[in-house]
Amino acid sequence: MREKRIRSALISVYHKEGLDRITGKLDRLGVKIISTGGTQKFISGMGVDVESVEDLTTYPSILGGRVKTLHPKVFGGILARRDNKEDIDQLKQFGIPAIDLIIVDLYPFEETVASGAGEQDVIEKIDIGGISLIRAAAKNYRDTLIVSERGQYDHLYELLESGEGVTTLTERRRFAAEAFDVSSDYDSAIFNYFNMEEGIASFKESRRQVKKLRYGENPHQEGAFYGRLNDLFEQVHGREISYNNLLDIDAAVNLISEFDETTFAILKHNNACGIATRNKLSDAWKDALAGDPVSAFGGVLITNRVVDDVTAAEIDNLFFEVIIAPEYDDKALEILKKKKNRIILKLQGQPTGKGSFRTVLNGVLWQEKDTRTEGVSDMNPATKTVPSASQMEDLVFANKIVKHSKSNTIVLAGNRQLFGSGVGMTSRIDALKHAVEKSKGFGFDLTKAVMASDAFFPFRDSVEIAGKEGITAVIQPGGSVRDNESIDYCDANGMSMVFTGIRHFRH
């Protein structure tokens, strides 16, 4: 067990919230308290005896507060091994008191960066003394207890209450592990700030906030989400969000971000099975659902407008897992909350970060996010016939959906509505055939459709099938050595085709 009684504590924190409860308990236990600057004033203001670090070291805080605790009389007292005779003899020789408890709260570096502060302000929020205290105390966990953030105050108070100031080796080791979690996360944030400009070939990502999930992709797999989900969403109703819900929610948020007009989308397994843009939200919902009312069952819904009661009443007729919107009318919420498990989310922000990554084999793949979205000005006509203004509008619409669909993918759309898509296919022809089959199966007239492809057509067969189905406008990246074959077929059959020069693979 190796129990240790806390007889002395060094406290140096940035945030003071919750500290009074801890300090009061330490005082009642007869623990000698040493502190610095503002923390010392806070503790003194409570009427608790506290010794200043300056009195201990006989050195003042210098360099504008950059150097306060960096002194052998501080770190010697933390790092001394209590079962090592030479260490104890040196403490006596140099008049260094042993320190049993360290409570530290680091400068808010990430918050300062997020605030948009200038570099000098950011640099001053790189904690030196605090991070050093954390590492020293964690290293010597056999003798020293380290509390490295205010989120641990409740746990510390419980230990002080239950053990009357006595801690076990197991408890100290746990706090040490958490301390290294704090310090490594802090250092990663600092490195990534500098590396935004330096471009050093090193991958460092740290996410400490964890949300335990019911399970992973399947019930036999464990799952968790690491990150600040509450920064993006407010969950106003429903059961706990699942692993698969989060995958669909991510896909939905990324897709809807492409649209400024009133748009409703339905997603299933990370792909849109229905999406429409209309002047009225209820019309957008009805036409999105018409795209594939079968696949919509159990899907994830998202819109970029406030959900009203009329639209909510229509939506309520469908079984779905999640709905996401920026806001809901009171009556709409009343309707949607009828199903107790239905997850209702308010979207409060957009995902940040310029890159995306995933584990592969024994490493990590990283890439820049695909932030390219082609508009009319990016479309280069490749055929004699040029798309009409309404066709151009639909080509832009279809190309946005293609960008957010699993490859290989073909999207057929018209009048800013998804008619049908083939996604995740091993051949582009199969993707097209599936899109045609779904479109016709749900009663869409393909003579009013345009076709979008995430990558170039290696042969003319895709445009030939599209042409025979009555499709008259096509958008694709271009770049095949056989582009001329597709162009010639389009020219011979009165079809228009534009090249964007941008591929949108998504795997």
Side-chain angles (χ1 to χ4, degrees):
M1 292 285 288
R2 191 165 178 180
E3 295 182 340
K4 297 282 296 185
R5 176 169 295 281
I6 298 172
R7 293 184 169 85
S8 60
L10 171 62
I11 306 175
S12 180
V13 299
Y14 184 86
H15 298 99
K16 310 301 187 292
E17 297 87 350
L19 185 62
D20 52 349
R21 184 169 177 241
I22 298 296
T23 304
K25 182 62 178 177
L26 292 173
D27 184 49
R28 290 192 295 274
L29 291 171
V31 176
K32 178 183 179 181
I33 299 175
I34 306 165
S35 191
T36 63
T39 309
Q40 180 194 350
K41 292 178 182 177
F42 177 84
I43 296 171
S44 293
M46 293 176 57
V48 173
D49 289 339
V50 55
E51 179 183 356
S52 70
V53 166
E54 289 88 343
D55 287 344
L56 172 64
T57 63
T58 68
Y59 271 86
S61 172
I62 62 173
L63 307 182
R66 284 188 166 198
V67 180
K68 290 180 283 192
T69 58
L70 297 170
H71 192 281
K73 282 203 170 183
V74 173
F75 282 85
I78 297 169
L79 287 164
R81 293 158 291 189
R82 310 307 198 262
D83 58 357
N84 184 298
K85 185 178 182 302
E86 291 184 3
D87 284 8
I88 298 303
D89 287 345
Q90 287 185 334
L91 291 185
K92 294 176 181 177
Q93 179 183 356
F94 296 105
I96 301 173
I99 303 175
D100 306 312
L101 170 65
I102 302 294
I103 301 177
V104 179
D105 178 31
L106 297 173
Y107 291 165
F109 177 82
E110 288 185 271
E111 291 87 343
T112 305
V113 173
S115 73
E119 178 149 299
Q120 189 54 45
D121 289 333
V122 170
I123 296 303
E124 289 305 317
K125 288 299 184 290
I126 298 177
D127 205 311
I128 302 301
I131 206 78
S132 301
L133 290 170
I134 287 174
R135 293 181 63 85
K139 176 176 180 176
N140 199 33
Y141 71 89
R142 298 182 68 84
D143 297 298
T144 306
L145 177 65
I146 172 63
V147 176
S148 51
E149 61 178 356
R150 51 186 166 156
Q152 298 169 333
Y153 285 179
D154 286 346
H155 189 188
L156 172 62
Y157 191 86
E158 290 172 7
L159 289 184
L160 296 175
E161 276 276 290
S162 60
E164 285 296 308
V166 176
T167 63
T168 67
L169 180 62
T170 299
E171 292 164 346
R172 294 192 299 276
R173 194 180 194 282
R174 174 68 185 191
F175 273 88
E178 292 176 355
F180 284 121
D181 181 29
V182 169
S183 66
S184 62
D185 180 72
Y186 196 76
D187 285 340
S188 292
I190 295 169
F191 167 77
N192 287 329
Y193 170 77
F194 278 92
N195 210 36
M196 287 190 293
E197 291 188 15
E198 304 307 327
I200 298 169
S202 179
F203 178 82
K204 287 181 175 65
E205 286 290 336
S206 180
R207 301 285 189 274
R208 298 190 59 242
Q209 296 74 23
V210 61
K211 176 181 176 62
K212 185 70 175 176
L213 304 175
R214 297 196 304 273
Y215 50 80
E217 200 160 5
N218 300 292
H220 64 276
Q221 296 170 271
E222 290 189 4
F225 175 81
Y226 292 89
R228 296 184 177 95
L229 200 59
N230 291 339
D231 288 354
L232 300 182
F233 302 104
E234 177 190 350
Q235 182 170 352
V236 297
H237 184 73
R239 68 180 181 182
E240 187 179 343
I241 299 173
S242 73
Y243 182 100
N244 291 325
N245 288 155
L246 286 168
L247 291 176
D248 282 329
I249 290 168
D250 177 66
V253 169
N254 288 324
L255 173 61
I256 205 70
S257 69
E258 300 281 358
F259 298 90
D260 296 322
E261 309 91 337
T262 300
T263 302
F264 222 119
I266 307 168
L267 286 89
K268 197 75 171 287
H269 296 290
N270 313 156
N271 295 294
C273 59
I275 181 169
T277 295
R278 295 291 182 263
N279 293 327
K280 287 177 58 180
L281 185 63
S282 58
D283 291 338
W285 162 251
K286 291 174 185 177
D287 288 343
L289 181 62
D292 189 345
V294 176
S295 295
F297 183 86
V300 168
L301 320 182
I302 189 166
T303 182
N304 54 4
R305 293 294 186 270
V306 176
V307 177
D308 56 71
D309 59 329
V310 174
T311 307
E314 294 287 343
I315 294 169
D316 191 50
N317 294 319
L318 175 74
F319 168 74
F320 61 89
E321 293 265 343
V322 182
I323 183 169
I324 309 161
E327 191 54 85
Y328 304 83
D329 287 350
D330 290 341
K331 288 185 178 179
L333 276 179
E334 185 179 332
I335 293 168
L336 294 173
K337 285 182 176 181
K338 289 178 182 177
K339 304 291 193 298
K340 67 176 184 178
N341 289 330
R342 185 179 278 168
I343 298 169
I344 303 175
L345 300 176
K346 289 183 183 179
L347 181 61
Q348 302 177 132
Q350 290 293 325
T352 57
K354 297 180 179 179
S356 63
F357 57 91
R358 63 199 295 184
T359 58
V360 175
L361 301 174
N362 61 344
V364 174
L365 276 176
W366 179 94
Q367 66 174 351
E368 289 182 330
K369 287 185 177 179
D370 184 359
T371 58
R372 289 290 297 267
T373 300
E374 293 74 52
V376 172
S377 62
D378 300 303
M379 298 182 184
N380 301 305
T383 53
K384 295 175 183 177
T385 302
V386 177
S388 66
S390 62
Q391 285 178 323
M392 278 291 196
E393 187 177 51
D394 282 339
L395 290 172
V396 171
F397 179 86
N399 200 48
K400 290 177 179 178
I401 303 171
V402 152
K403 174 184 170 182
H404 293 276
S405 301
K406 295 286 187 180
S407 300
N408 290 308
T409 182
I410 294 288
V411 166
L412 304 180
N415 190 26
R416 298 184 299 171
Q417 178 184 15
L418 175 62
F419 286 3
S421 61
V423 298
M425 298 293 187
T426 53
S427 82
R428 202 156 300 281
I429 287 294
D430 287 343
L432 173 55
K433 289 178 178 178
H434 187 68
V436 167
E437 179 184 353
K438 295 200 76 170
S439 300
K440 293 167 74 172
F442 292 116
F444 290 105
D445 181 0
L446 291 183
T447 64
K448 298 178 181 179
V450 303
M451 176 173 74
S453 174
D454 61 335
F456 65 63
F457 299 121
F459 305 100
R460 78 173 208 174
D461 47 9
S462 292
V463 294
E464 185 173 352
I465 292 172
K468 290 178 178 178
E469 294 291 344
I471 296 167
T472 57
V474 179
I475 181 172
Q476 59 138 321
S480 168
V481 294
R482 290 187 171 88
D483 275 346
N484 285 338
E485 295 178 13
S486 296
I487 295 170
D488 290 345
Y489 180 86
C490 290
D491 284 340
N493 291 273
M495 298 171 67
S496 62
M497 182 164 62
V498 298
F499 289 169
T500 64
I502 301 296
R503 187 182 73 183
H504 289 297
F505 268 170
R506 184 166 176 258
H507 297 100

